[in-house]
Amino acid sequence: MSNATLYPVPEEFARNALIDQDTYQRLYQASIDDPEQFWAEQAKRIDWMRPFKKVKQTSFDDHNVSIKWYLGGHLNVSANCLDRHLEQRSEQTAIIWEADEPGQARHITYRELHRDVCRFANALKHQGVAQGDVVTLYMPMIPEAAIAMLACSRIGAIHSVVFAGFSPEALAGRILDGRSNVVITADEGLRGGRSTPLKANVDEALTHADIKTVDKVIVVRHTGAEIPWHDHRDRDYAELMAEADDFCPPEPMDSEDPLFILYTSGSTGKPKGILHTTGGYLTYAALTHQYVFDYKDSEVFWCTADIGWITGHTYTIYGPLANGGTTVMFEGVPNYPDVTRMARVIDTHKINILYTAPTAIRAMMAMGDAAMAGADGSSLRLLGSVGEPINPEAWNWYYHTVGKGRCPIVDTWWQTETGATLMTPLPGATPLKPGSAACPFFGVQPALVDNEGNILQGAAEGNLVLLDSWPGQARSIFRDHERFVDTYFRTFKGTYFTGDGARRDEDGYYWITGRVDDVLNVSGHRMGTAEVESALVSHKDVAEAAVVGMPHDLKGQGIYVYVTLNDGIEASESLRQALRQWVRHEIGPIATPDVIQWAPGLPKTRSGKIMRRILRKIAVAEYDGLGDISTLADPGVVEHLINEHKSMT
Ligand code: WT7
């Protein structure tokens, strides 16, 4: 793959790019040689209310993991995203909202957004929300979601956005973990013409989990549907806004005050509340948004990610708005009403930069050229990909059919924990190799280590770690710093372990090979095998379950489940359906198993650890490469599983 086709930077693109190849090399070197100097310089793009005293104080030593940037500095995120743009661009569109149904877009200027954020910030204060409180958002992709996030940041409340596709059970767990007192939601969400009862889900979460801590539920009337209403707890968003004052002073926040928590899956246990703070995150989000996407004033930027994920936080909201950009929020899905939807949005809003996920690209590609048929697409200048490795076939289709061979593709590798992009080509600087995330961004020091932690040199494949901190790095797991240290800093001492494997070729390009832990990536959504397993075993008929990933044409990875039923329970097709439903109910539709295989027993070591390696092989019918199975407590189960798998296919 290292000698894969090389796509040079198109000349016309290079001429106008913010960063060319020489500049990249020079700045990258400077960022490594003198991080303090480099990052002090970059922080000038942010308005500080009080200057910071020290740029960087970070330690990856597992006895003392501590990550602090821009120490002593004061700033406010919403002021950086709104107030400071008012002088120059109050009438510029900040957010273009594209509704689920075509033809119902809304344009919101910086002036309007500022006013609404101020009002809602005041409303939150009236409802008793104070600095440091955790506010849970369970919202569709509507402007009110952006308003709520920015309003929290204005008063120093910590937002915790829960993807609106998660079930009431999953929502309840996150509300409890965050000890949140306030939930903001909508009557219903709309995606692909189908509604989700968000308000009813919130009620169910609060009732079932018997959550007493939440005393306010603020509801945006979006579809206007009939919803259950509890006067003591529920508040109408529009009523609060009507009563609220038009101006709310932005709270000066310390650089290291929490900005948000966002739950993500790990290889064990329940989801982790990844904690991001204020100064470093915003600086890094804004800087990467500008340079990775070569973003220029007045361009229209469309990141298709939902605000329920980190990509939506950083590149739908904070990055573009900090840069005074125009960002698109899309409520719907790429294939509704039909596969031409993305192209229609691109043409309608004259999108210059499109940032989406391989799973969406593959879904369009599956319809041949229909997705772009009849579309103009000439506004596009740059394309981006994120969330999972992009297979060269999808890359080529994206490049030629969507980008018409004119637009570079930035394949950005990063994680919830990294806050923003760590590795990517820079579009004006880096010749592209389809499927490679190319090179580290400024200040980022990736390395590959073998399983013993030895650093590998030159062309090599290994575990991907980072040797030093960058400003956008997560600071902790909310109220569980020990778990943070354990998860990321104990595997390979002195480094941050990403959980990913990667290869570096002779040209120094990185190729992400995927997770090396028990984390799945389904349609770009991160899913812990342990979470799906624990959902399954909570079903009354299930004794045990083991979950592995399997290759999937559209989703990248599908969910393959081995289930051992309780004694006396009969395996049946209807039970299989019931279990699929059960997982959807416990976690959400994105966790729906693709295949359920009955397993009278699971392959376990004598100490009781499930050998997923074997299960992964059987799932793809690689019966020969099972490796050493002599350490199993009962090697006989393997043959059983193979026979059952053969009988299914
Ligand atoms: C995991 C992080 C990045 C924000 C959205 C996902 C995988 C992400 C790429 C890419 C190959 C990628 C990794 C990573 N991943 N981007 N460009 N190429 N793999 O954030 O939910 O925290 O997931 O997504 O495995 O560890 P996330």
Side-chain angles (χ1 to χ4, degrees):
M1 265 196 282
S2 56
N3 41 23
T5 325
L6 202 63
Y7 290 76
V9 179
E11 242 173 69
E12 195 195 320
F13 195 97
R15 251 198 313 279
N16 299 310
L18 295 172
I19 307 274
D20 62 16
Q21 196 153 25
D22 289 346
T23 315
Y24 168 68
Q25 258 140 20
R26 186 171 47 77
L27 282 182
Y28 180 74
Q29 201 52 50
S31 73
I32 303 304
D33 292 345
D34 191 350
E36 301 249 346
Q37 162 65 29
F38 179 84
W39 288 112
E41 188 62 30
Q42 303 313 317
K44 290 181 182 158
R45 63 171 49 242
I46 296 302
D47 278 3
W48 299 87
M49 294 161 155
R50 186 176 94 180
F52 47 87
K53 297 192 178 68
K54 188 167 172 45
V55 174
K56 176 178 190 280
Q57 196 177 82
T58 64
S59 161
F60 284 3
D61 173 354
D62 67 340
H63 300 294
N64 170 41
V65 170
S66 168
I67 300 157
K68 294 190 169 123
W69 284 86
Y70 302 124
L71 292 82
H74 284 182
L75 72 160
N76 182 278
V77 167
S78 87
N80 272 281
C81 290
L82 302 169
D83 305 46
R84 65 168 170 159
H85 304 316
L86 291 182
E87 203 175 311
Q88 297 287 325
R89 38 179 116 241
S90 64
E91 298 312 312
Q92 182 196 308
T93 301
I95 296 178
I96 299 176
W97 179 65
E98 171 75 13
D100 189 47
E101 288 300 329
Q104 300 182 5
R106 272 174 62 193
H107 289 69
I108 300 164
T109 65
Y110 271 98
R111 185 176 48 77
E112 292 164 333
L113 188 61
H114 175 262
R115 181 201 58 206
D116 285 359
V117 167
C118 278
R119 280 196 185 158
F120 195 56
N122 283 326
L124 286 175
K125 285 204 258 186
H126 281 143
Q127 296 305 311
V129 178
Q131 193 172 317
D133 287 356
V134 176
V135 174
T136 301
L137 273 65
Y138 184 65
M139 299 185 80
M141 283 290 282
I142 54 178
E144 289 80 358
I147 291 167
M149 290 166 77
L150 290 161
C152 285
S153 80
R154 197 161 188 90
I155 64 173
I158 306 166
H159 60 67
S160 167
V161 182
V162 178
F163 175 54
F166 278 126
S167 69
E169 278 70 16
L171 171 63
R174 288 156 173 79
I175 293 173
L176 279 170
D177 187 86
R179 292 188 199 150
S180 190
N181 302 119
V182 174
V183 179
I184 307 171
T185 190
D187 47 8
E188 292 184 319
L190 264 187
R191 273 162 64 88
R194 286 199 300 213
S195 61
T196 318
L198 298 181
K199 169 60 166 64
N201 283 356
V202 171
D203 287 352
E204 192 181 329
L206 299 185
T207 321
H208 278 249
D210 198 20
I211 299 176
K212 301 270 196 301
T213 48
V214 171
D215 46 37
K216 298 282 159 47
V217 175
I218 301 175
V219 185
V220 178
R221 304 279 185 173
H222 176 48
T223 64
E226 282 283 326
I227 48 170
W229 199 261
H230 309 284
D231 281 328
H232 70 284
R233 188 169 71 198
D234 298 341
R235 298 286 178 275
D236 185 298
Y237 174 89
E239 282 174 23
L240 299 183
M241 290 293 272
E243 293 158 7
D245 218 56
D246 269 358
F247 184 71
C248 170
E251 201 62 44
M253 302 301 292
D254 189 272
S255 237
E256 285 303 335
D257 278 336
L259 175 62
F260 64 85
I261 52 182
L262 184 59
Y263 287 86
T264 191
S265 301
S267 50
T268 56
K270 57 186 175 63
K272 308 174 279 216
I274 300 298
L275 175 73
H276 282 285
T277 59
T278 304
Y281 171 80
L282 191 67
T283 307
Y284 197 71
L287 183 74
T288 54
H289 172 257
Q290 176 147 39
Y291 287 158
V292 173
F293 299 104
D294 193 49
Y295 185 79
K296 316 255 176 49
D297 266 2
S298 82
E299 288 195 311
V300 181
F301 181 82
W302 182 19
C303 164
T304 66
D306 192 280
I307 46 140
W309 315 115
I310 189 72
T311 315
H313 281 59
T314 304
Y315 295 118
T316 306
I317 308 294
Y318 290 119
L321 295 180
N323 289 333
T326 298
T327 185
V328 176
M329 275 182 95
F330 177 38
E331 184 184 19
V333 292
N335 57 359
Y336 177 82
D338 58 49
V339 72
T340 65
R341 183 64 188 275
M342 299 262 286
R344 283 207 258 168
V345 175
I346 290 166
D347 284 348
T348 306
H349 301 302
K350 303 274 179 289
I351 306 289
N352 302 115
I353 301 158
L354 171 67
Y355 187 35
T356 192
T359 189
I361 297 165
R362 287 191 296 263
M364 290 194 286
M365 183 174 75
M367 310 295 284
D369 289 344
M372 293 301 287
D376 171 27
S378 61
S379 59
L380 286 174
R381 199 171 68 76
L382 177 67
L383 303 173
S385 172
V386 62
E388 53 178 313
I390 179 165
N391 47 312
E393 197 194 351
W395 195 99
N396 277 300
W397 185 85
Y398 197 29
Y399 189 79
H400 292 289
T401 307
V402 179
K404 310 272 180 354
R406 286 184 297 108
C407 310
I409 298 178
V410 289
D411 179 354
T412 61
W413 171 84
W414 55 296
Q415 313 179 296
T416 306
E417 295 88 338
T418 71
T421 302
L422 292 195
M423 291 214 274
T424 179
L426 288 187
T430 321
L432 306 171
K433 297 186 187 187
S436 169
C439 313
F441 190 73
F442 303 131
V444 174
Q445 293 188 58
L448 300 176
V449 299
D450 65 18
N451 288 340
E452 280 68 54
N454 303 303
I455 294 191
L456 307 171
Q457 306 292 344
E461 181 162 348
N463 303 292
L464 179 60
V465 300
L466 295 151
L467 301 179
D468 200 357
S469 183
W470 59 98
Q473 182 173 23
R475 304 307 196 242
S476 194
I477 290 172
F478 194 56
R479 290 192 287 123
D480 199 348
H481 194 65
E482 195 49 31
R483 191 177 176 201
F484 183 65
V485 176
D486 237 16
T487 311
Y488 305 106
F489 301 94
R490 290 232 158 91
T491 319
F492 302 112
K493 301 241 187 265
T495 74
Y496 166 85
F497 177 41
T498 63
D500 279 322
R503 198 167 61 75
R504 188 175 46 226
D505 69 20
E506 299 77 47
D507 302 325
Y509 277 53
Y510 284 85
W511 302 73
I512 308 296
T513 52
R515 303 289 304 197
V516 294
D517 53 10
D518 291 321
V519 170
L520 307 180
N521 191 326
V522 181
S523 299
H525 302 318
R526 209 162 131 177
M527 188 91 49
T529 51
E531 264 172 277
V532 183
E533 286 163 6
S534 100
L536 282 159
V537 296
S538 70
H539 187 278
K540 64 179 186 359
D541 294 339
V542 175
E544 253 192 318
V547 171
V548 295
M550 61 175 217
H552 190 287
D553 281 350
L554 290 179
K555 302 184 194 176
Q557 259 187 328
I559 301 178
Y560 196 107
V561 177
Y562 295 86
V563 171
T564 308
L565 294 171
N566 281 325
D567 267 354
I569 301 293
E570 191 89 30
S572 68
E573 200 44 46
S574 64
L575 181 54
R576 210 179 243 138
Q577 282 315 319
L579 291 180
R580 284 166 60 88
Q581 261 331 101
W582 180 260
V583 176
R584 290 170 72 91
H585 183 261
E586 290 292 298
I587 304 175
I590 54 174
T592 314
D594 293 280
V595 180
I596 297 180
Q597 172 173 344
W598 307 119
L602 294 170
K604 287 188 195 160
T605 62
R606 283 183 203 104
S607 60
K609 190 171 161 6
I610 294 173
M611 307 252 315
R612 285 204 182 70
R613 173 173 61 80
I614 294 173
L615 295 175
R616 277 193 284 266
K617 294 275 184 194
I618 295 175
V620 292
E622 281 176 22
Y623 310 129
D624 295 335
L626 295 181
D628 183 12
I629 61 169
S630 63
T631 57
L632 290 180
D634 174 11
V637 299
V638 173
E639 201 181 311
H640 246 101
L641 292 175
I642 291 177
N643 288 335
E644 174 74 19
H645 183 262
K646 283 183 177 159
S647 76
M648 289 167 67
T649 46

